[in-house]
Amino acid sequence: MSSRRSRSRQQSGVSRSTNNNITDDQITDLVSKLQQLIPEIRNSRSDKVSASKVLQETCNYIRNLHREVDDLSDRLSELLATTETDSAQAAIIRSLLM
Amino acid sequence: MGIMDKKKAIKLSADLAIASARKGTTYWSRAIIAKATAENNDCSRIIVENILGPERAERLEKASKLSAVRYNNRLLRSRKILKKCHNVRRALRKNVPRRVVAANSIAKRMVEKRTQVLKGLVPGGEFMDEVSLIEETLDYLVSLRAQVDVMRCLACATDLVNGKYEGKKKLAIVKRRVCGLLLLFG
């Protein structure tokens, strides 16, 4: 059963150690990388942040980014609706996108 | 196309754009593409083909469908329950005091709960194990930030072109925004 697990891991295309057991070091390394990406934790840095807090802040951050994308799509859909399709202005926007 | 459809189209294009940048190397990007190609309406198909190109769209569609079925959900869940029982029993056998075992298992349960929430947020996350989930999250976070930056620049540029700002300020803002866009794409 362990050989089946290692085979499916190698097929998934993400680099990983050949060891079957997930080492704690691997996980703490990844969690610390995650910590550096999240602004709330990075700015108010204390020495030890628990894994559960990192995960919680990650989820909040992703939710905020999703909300921003949503707001920006709203704004863009209104803006693009008001820009007339044949004007020079629309040509500028189109050239930025292509 | 109404404004709501336009908004959905913009979101879909933005998601497909960051997914296609990964060229099928990450799970989350394949999940986004699989979901987009599974939708049956013409609008989605047009967007997929325009952003990915028709041959690549077909190839990625096949690859995405395969990888989504790979993990067996039920197998993962039963393995997790077994692991939990074994770990508690092992700790008790080593004469670790029960309150420490309880505290450890509470901490583990918190981490598992948060991991479940994360799985719901990252596309395709429900099928991943812990390590892949964190790796995919790292990549997804970076791509999401890039997506927000590009959309913000675009919205500002559109505001400008529609005549929102006046005079000299306009030129300075145009220069800044265009440089920002070029940096992101270059």
Side-chain angles (χ1 to χ4, degrees), chain A residues 17 24 39 81:
Chain A
S17 71
D24 279 342

Side-chain angles (χ1 to χ4, degrees), chain A residues 14-16 22 27 34 37 52 59 61 63 66 68-70 73-75 77 79 82-83 89 93, chain B residues 7 10-11 114 117 121 130-132 134-135 138 140-141 145 147-148 151-152 155 158-159 161-162:
Chain A
V14 185
S15 64
R16 220 173 264 115
I22 303 173
I27 296 194
L34 211 46
L37 270 186
S52 125
C59 296
Y61 191 45
R63 271 194 220 111
H66 280 169
E68 266 199 78
V69 170
D70 210 60
S73 323
D74 263 331
R75 201 172 139 198
S77 61
L79 287 173
T82 57
T83 309
Q89 292 128 332
I93 300 179
Chain B
K7 176 182 170 181
I10 291 177
K11 271 174 94 168
R114 303 263 155 80
V117 176
L121 287 170
E130 271 180 28
V131 176
S132 333
I134 304 184
E135 287 173 340
L138 285 167
Y140 185 54
L141 263 182
R145 285 217 291 222
Q147 185 184 45
V148 167
M151 287 176 86
R152 216 181 272 150
T158 318
D159 269 336
V161 157
N162 281 345

